[in-house]
């Protein structure tokens, strides 16, 4: 079984199967893999694929030593050319370091002694829910576009390995939860 895009589940050994977890952003395709077993941490990204080069940088863009936490930067033949009709974002996220083109993933990681990588978190408010990337700030912004909503805070909770999107909001007057849900479904 090949999984990708989210934290892999606990293994059920009553069924005989082999799990390979792959990691990679849309901008870089499949970048790493890990054969999963009972001792595999569900935050392990595994080893980079042979056609990829990974580097962990501090938040100023300088490479850090193995074991230190920083932003994952990826390079290789599989990187996209950039973002369609968004040269500013392309320039921000695709950078040249030592004559090589790298993509700034905004994933916070650390390199382990065996050369594998461990996922620590995100630099932005992007979360994965049911395999979809969700920007919490965008959810909050759209909720505040509802005329009755004064304030909104979105967050992600993980219960038994599954992520749930929660929105807390304060209104000028009482509105039904269905009003907020339908508005967000329509505009997000």
């Amino acid at each position: 079984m090949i999984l990708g895009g989210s934290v892999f589940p606990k293994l059920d050994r009553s069924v005989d199967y082999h799990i390979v977890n792959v990691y990679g952003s849309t901008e870089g395709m499949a970048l790493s893999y890990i054969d999963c077993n009972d001792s595999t941490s569900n935050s392990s990204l595994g080893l980079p694929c042979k056609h990829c080069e990974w580097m962990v940088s501090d938040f100023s863009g300088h490479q850090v030593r193995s074991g230190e936490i920083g932003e994952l930067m990826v390079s290789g033949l599989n990187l996209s050319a950039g973002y369609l009709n968004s040269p500013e974002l392309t320039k921000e996220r695709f950078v040249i370091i030592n004559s090589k083109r790298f993509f700034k993933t905004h994933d916070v990681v650390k390199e382990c002694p065996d050369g594998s990588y461990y996922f620590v978190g995100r630099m932005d408010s992007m979360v994965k829910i049911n395999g979809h990337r969700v920007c919490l700030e965008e959810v909050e912004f759209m909720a505040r576009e509802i005329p009755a909503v004064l304030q909104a805070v979105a967050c992600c909770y993980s219960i038994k390995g599954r992520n749930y999107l929660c929105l807390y909001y304060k209104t000028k007057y009482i509105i039904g939860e269905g009003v907020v849900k339908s508005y967000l479904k329509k505009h997000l």
Side-chain angles (χ1 to χ4, degrees), residues 127 129 136 139-140 153-157 163-168:
V127 296
I129 299 176
L136 297 177
V139 173
E140 293 169 355
V153 176
C155 57
C156 178
Y157 287 104
N163 289 339
Y164 295 89
L165 176 64
C166 297
L167 178 70
Y168 299 94

Side-chain angles (χ1 to χ4, degrees), residues 129-183:
I129 299 176
N130 296 331
H132 298 281
R133 288 167 58 165
V134 176
C135 178
L136 297 177
E137 292 167 344
E138 184 177 3
V139 173
E140 293 169 355
F141 175 81
M142 291 310 299
R144 288 191 304 268
E145 291 293 299
I146 300 169
V149 175
L150 296 170
Q151 297 174 328
V153 176
C155 57
C156 178
Y157 287 104
S158 183
I159 301 171
K160 295 183 180 178
R162 185 175 172 126
N163 289 339
Y164 295 89
L165 176 64
C166 297
L167 178 70
Y168 299 94
Y169 54 91
K170 178 180 178 181
T171 60
K172 296 177 194 174
Y173 47 86
I174 296 173
I175 59 173
E177 164 185 327
V179 171
V180 176
K181 281 185 178 180
S182 64
Y183 183 88

